[in-house]
Amino acid sequence: MADRSTARLVARLLGLAAAMFLFAVFVMPPLYDVFCEVTGIGGKTGGAARVRDAGVDQSRTIEVQFVATNNGAMPWEFGPRQVELRVHPGEPTRALYYARNPTDRPMVAQAIPSVTPASAARYFNKTECFCFNRQPLGPGEEAELPLVFVVDPELPSAIRTITLSYTLFDVTERSPDLVAKVAAGAAAR
Amino acid sequence: MAHGPAKGIKRWLFTTNHKDIGTLYLWFSFAMFLVGGLFAMIIRAELFQPGMQLVTPEFFNQMTTMHGLVMVFGAIMPAFVGLANWMIPLMIGAPDMALPRMNNLSFWILPFAFLILVATLFMEGGGPNFGWTFYAPLSTTYAPDSVNYFIFAIHLMGASSIMGAINIIATVLNMRAPGMTLMKMPLFVWTWLITAFLLLAVMPVLAGAVTMMLMDINFGTSFFDAAGGGDPVLFQHIFWFFGHPEVYIIILPAFGVISAIIPTFSRKPLFGYSSMVYATAAIAFLSFIVWAHHMFTVGMPLAGELYFMYATMLIAVPTGVKVFNWITTMFRGAISFETPMLFAIAFVILFTIGGFTGLMLAIAPSDIQYHDSYFVVAHFHYVMVAGAVFSGTAAVYYWLPKWCGRMYNETMGKLHFWIAFIGFNIAFFPQHFLGLAGMPRRYADYALQFADWNMVSSIGAFIYGAAQILFLYNVIATIVAGKPVKEAKVWEGAEGLEWTVPTPAPYHTFATPPAVK
Ligand code: HEM
Ligand SMILES: [Cu+2]
């Protein structure tokens, strides 16, 4: 019954289905990330930025607010050292967060940044950030978490306040390498 | 070639006959319709009064989830695949489907898929409780342990649908009788051809979505987990990239059925045949570019909101063409109101109401208010129940005499119609009010001011549920003891090849292709 032309048609249709599956798994997620990055939506601030030296715009002052949240049942103490900073666009500025692991086991955390308003995200450049790496802490250990950022002078003039928020996620389970390192460090001490 | 069916259970297990497989699909779908209906009755019984009466909130969540999954994937989709199996070869003058063995496989996967899905309810931690849209992280980080079985069941259903779609496309493109050009095909065949392409394009995306969930849950990836650099909103984009075409997968074959029934009982050819074909194709195309109208509240940029709002409204144009054509077909026709026609007319009216509420929801600023309220629940039950389910019911009454050579009892059919019609509207019309007044969907309890309309809605739901028992009775009574019909053309106004074969349709038809004028 299944003659040659039917067999060829079925092969093509199966190919279409397979292509759509691959599209969903391998194309849509990266495409989504690229789209968010290009448009700056989602409030994601991206990785380390190379800052072009456009000079400091002394005429404007931007209020940068710092917020911290723990995701789900993350037990760490986590917060900003300063509630807000007033900065000029183009001026590299250093800010600090702190974290403490109050539990009796080594843990690893990942901070995910987000900027509000979302339209400011593409003008908020971090040259250095604790969020670029996962952060391991042994039992009872604490750490100062630095970041350095520059607000792009191109920031739309309507924006006067930027809120930078970090959500701290527990990634201990998916970071056995770092857990082992912290545990070894604690044992040596 | 011309042997009859095998005897006993083996006939059904090993059959490659399109009529047998169509029958299997239809009975399976009806069984799932009753199971999903039972879940709905539990939901409405709990919501009959404010406060918690019958079930725990955890179980309530499993009921709303399973109701949606079973109805969409178990009841509505297989019903139309069953109709396609029965009718497409008869309508295009083919002896059978192009790939009869694959046809058998694609049916027999389904009972296993749903056995697995329903079995999760009895597992420790319960069944899926994250809604039929299974948004991450509810369905990943916070899912019950049974989620892996849910994922496996979805994979099986997807495989079954993809095989069914391939079979339908191959049949329509390669098996038409000589002279049956594409533009002579009945609309039911056209709508199914286009639906099959939609299925092929988006069921793999659904499979991709559950595969990514599986990886996130078990293998440490983070497609949808912000902690690892993923994004839960990505899940919603992928789901609705599948989900919106899916709602047209459900409704397009229903359009095809209505386009067959209305001309028969208006005794006029369908008005605007070619515009119907183009409108169907346009709807299918548009369905790929409007998905984020389900996501107006996730925080899209203004340009995105506006684009998805206008694109969604554009769908109302081809949809309006269809409604216009059905009404014009009826206009000045010699109409008679047999049961299939009653269901078809109710379809046109109620589906149009659902289309209008869809338009209201498409307006982004108002959707921010209506989203996830009972208004949305009312909208999609008008298009899916009064749309797809009414159309399926109409199809059964319309073709049952051809299938089994016996006529249903018209009085009983009309009784079924009126109980279903009234019950449906009592159940779902008040949900518009509840939604506009602010009642959120998917909760086991509600504030006191919503009590009255919830009670009304529950009563309507029980009436509509009871109507299905009558439906089952009518179908069985017809098969067992209906008045025999002999004429090939069961309905005097009917046109098409399916009415040229003897009644009841013999086991093998069109072994030699018919002549098509
Ligand atoms: C004129 C045509 C239509 C328009 C403009 C439309 C628009 C919409 C919009 C904007 C929503 C999202 C509401 C929200 O969640 O806030 C929605 C939800 C929905 N629509 Fe439609 N719709 C149309 C036709 C249909 C049809 C034909 C079907 C299916 C047969 C359908 C099924 C659904 C379903 C199932 C949902 C809810 C999904 C969920 O969240 O569970 N719609 N519709
Ligand atoms: Cu939609």
Side-chain angles (χ1 to χ4, degrees), chain A residues 7-137:
Chain A
R8 217 175 321 122
L9 178 65
V10 170
R12 276 205 209 120
L13 296 175
L14 276 174
L16 172 66
M20 287 308 291
F21 180 83
L22 297 176
F23 175 71
V25 179
F26 294 107
V27 180
M28 279 163 90
L31 196 68
Y32 175 79
D33 287 342
V34 170
F35 187 79
C36 290
E37 205 166 307
V38 169
T39 55
I41 54 178
K44 280 196 189 166
T45 51
R50 265 174 287 117
V51 178
R52 51 200 177 82
D53 198 6
V56 179
D57 179 356
Q58 300 283 358
S59 67
R60 281 177 78 190
T61 307
I62 309 294
E63 199 176 300
V64 180
Q65 306 175 325
F66 300 89
V67 179
T69 322
N70 281 10
N71 177 258
M74 180 63 172
W76 287 20
E77 289 155 29
F78 175 57
R81 283 284 189 220
Q82 65 291 308
V83 175
E84 67 172 57
L85 288 173
R86 304 172 78 78
V87 305
H88 299 302
E91 177 182 59
T93 310
R94 193 179 156 81
L96 270 185
Y97 274 67
Y98 71 93
R100 200 178 89 85
N101 174 3
T103 67
D104 52 10
R105 61 198 170 96
M107 286 181 71
V108 184
Q110 170 75 56
I112 302 287
S114 154
V115 166
T116 308
S119 52
R122 57 203 284 201
Y123 304 100
F124 191 86
N125 301 314
K126 295 192 284 342
T127 53
E128 212 187 299
C129 179
F130 58 95
C131 60
F132 295 160
N133 298 304
R134 284 173 292 177
Q135 176 68 47
L137 282 183

Side-chain angles (χ1 to χ4, degrees), chain A residues 1-3 5-6 9-10 13-14 16-18 20-21 23-25 28-29 32-33 36 41-42 44 71-72 110 112 169-171 174, chain B residues 98-99 162 166 169-170 174 197 200-201 204-205 207-208 211-212 220-223 225-231 233-234 237-238 241 301:
Chain A
M1 185 69 63
D3 55 51
S5 77
T6 306
L9 178 65
V10 170
L13 296 175
L14 276 174
L16 172 66
M20 287 308 291
F21 180 83
F23 175 71
V25 179
M28 279 163 90
Y32 175 79
D33 287 342
C36 290
I41 54 178
K44 280 196 189 166
N71 177 258
Q110 170 75 56
I112 302 287
F169 288 84
D170 179 0
V171 293
R174 63 178 79 188
Chain B
L99 306 153
I162 289 170
I166 290 179
I169 296 175
N174 285 2
F197 275 106
L200 267 189
V205 174
T211 305
M212 286 184 261
T221 59
S222 20
F223 287 101
D225 185 358
D231 193 337
V233 176
L234 171 65
H237 281 290
I238 294 176
F241 186 81

Side-chain angles (χ1 to χ4, degrees), chain B residues 402-438:
Chain B
K402 174 54 79 185
W403 296 337
C404 68
R406 290 170 186 274
M407 187 48 111
Y408 63 87
N409 179 325
E410 195 60 65
T411 316
M412 292 298 281
K414 288 199 167 116
L415 187 67
H416 169 209
F417 168 75
W418 284 109
I419 298 178
F421 180 81
I422 293 170
F424 170 82
N425 281 293
I426 296 179
F428 292 105
F429 208 78
Q431 295 188 0
H432 292 113
F433 311 147
L434 287 170
L436 293 179

Side-chain angles (χ1 to χ4, degrees), chain B residues 35-45 63 67 71 461-462:
Chain B
V35 172
L38 177 71
F39 297 159
M41 294 299 109
I42 295 173
I43 295 170
R44 282 318 319 173
M63 286 294 97
H67 165 70
M71 285 306 197
F462 300 148

Side-chain angles (χ1 to χ4, degrees), chain B residues 240 243-244 247-248 290-291 293-294:
Chain B
W240 288 114
H244 187 78
V247 307
Y248 285 97
V290 298
W291 74 90
H293 63 220
H294 296 274

